[in-house]
């Protein structure tokens, strides 16, 4: 856990120092976790958050909050050109199959005919954006004139049970769900207010979960099970 906090703090300091030396524009990819278990819903960039500073998740939450502090300190005191993005849950092809994130977990489990693991009652909510939407938002942020922070996320809100249903639709309607005790300090709700990004960056996501998830499923299926064998028949090839 200490390595997570150290990476956020020391890593950000190192990169800010590099940006200062070479005169580069610095992008901090922060996170919606800076809002903690929010008491404001949806979350706007002016909301300061509700974070447990000594909880099991605090190494990441507070690490990113410190990274934002350092970034703004360098910007104000040294004139470093910076941009800050607060990224909400993102999914898409080429994610690590067993990275522990909820979308990749559900997809990998359903493909392997394993029960999808839901923690708690499954009523906690998250918002899921497709990776290409995020990339477009980051490009607009870096090419624009505004420091941020900007929420970059899809405001479509799903409970974990609703997410599991979408995965069932995409992979297997009979996929099972297994409930386990919830993790400590798990946020109850998470949804970005993207009004600022719409107004200043001209950005909003365009790909819904039901449109983007099958693209991720196809990639996971190929990497989990491999390409089908090719058989040569009469000079041609069939799968």
């Amino acid at each position: 856990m200490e390595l997570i906090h150290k990476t956020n703090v020391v890593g950000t300091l190192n990169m800010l120092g590099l940006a200062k030396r070479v005169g580069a524009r610095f992008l901090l990819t922060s996170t919606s976790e800076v809002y903690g278990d929010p008491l404001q819903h949806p979350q706007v960039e002016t909301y300061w958050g509700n974070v447990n500073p000594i909880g099991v998740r605090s190494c990441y939450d507070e690490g990113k909050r410190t990274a934002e502090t350092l970034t703004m300190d360098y910007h104000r005191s040294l004139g470093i050109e910076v941009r800050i993005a607060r990224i909400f849950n993102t999914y898409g092809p080429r994610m690590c199959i067993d990275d522990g994130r909820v979308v990749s977990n559900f997809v990998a489990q359903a493909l392997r005919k394993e029960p999808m693991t839901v923690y708690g009652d499954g009523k906690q909510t998250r918002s899921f954006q497709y990776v290409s939407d995020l990339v477009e938002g980051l490009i607009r942020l870096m090419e624009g004139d505004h420091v941020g922070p900007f929420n970059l996320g899809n405001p479509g809100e799903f409970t974990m049970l609703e997410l599991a249903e979408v995965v069932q639709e995409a992979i297997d309607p009979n996929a099972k769900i297994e409930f386990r005790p919830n993790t400590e300090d798990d946020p109850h709700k998470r949804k970005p207010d993207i009004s600022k990004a719409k107004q200043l960056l001209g950005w909003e996501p365009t790909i819904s979960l039901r449109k983007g998830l099958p693209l991720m499923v196809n990639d996971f299926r190929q990497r989990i099970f491999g390409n089908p064998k090719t058989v040569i028949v009469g000079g041609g090839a069939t799968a």
Side-chain angles (χ1 to χ4, degrees), residues 7-80:
T7 299
N8 280 317
V9 176
V10 179
T12 300
L13 272 174
N14 289 341
M15 295 308 296
L16 284 166
L18 177 61
K20 177 187 174 185
R21 288 196 299 276
V22 303
R25 180 177 294 177
F26 175 79
L27 170 65
L28 175 67
T29 52
S30 187
T31 172
S32 60
E33 294 294 335
V34 300
Y35 299 122
D37 189 7
L39 304 178
Q40 181 184 102
H41 192 75
Q43 295 81 56
V44 296
E45 290 87 349
T46 53
Y47 177 53
W48 290 355
N50 177 42
V51 175
N52 176 3
I54 59 171
V56 295
R57 301 170 66 97
S58 62
C59 58
Y60 184 67
D61 300 0
E62 297 290 19
K64 285 293 190 180
R65 286 161 70 95
T66 303
E68 289 195 16
T69 300
L70 291 168
T71 300
M72 290 307 298
D73 283 347
Y74 268 67
H75 173 63
R76 284 187 289 253
S77 63
L78 299 173
I80 305 301

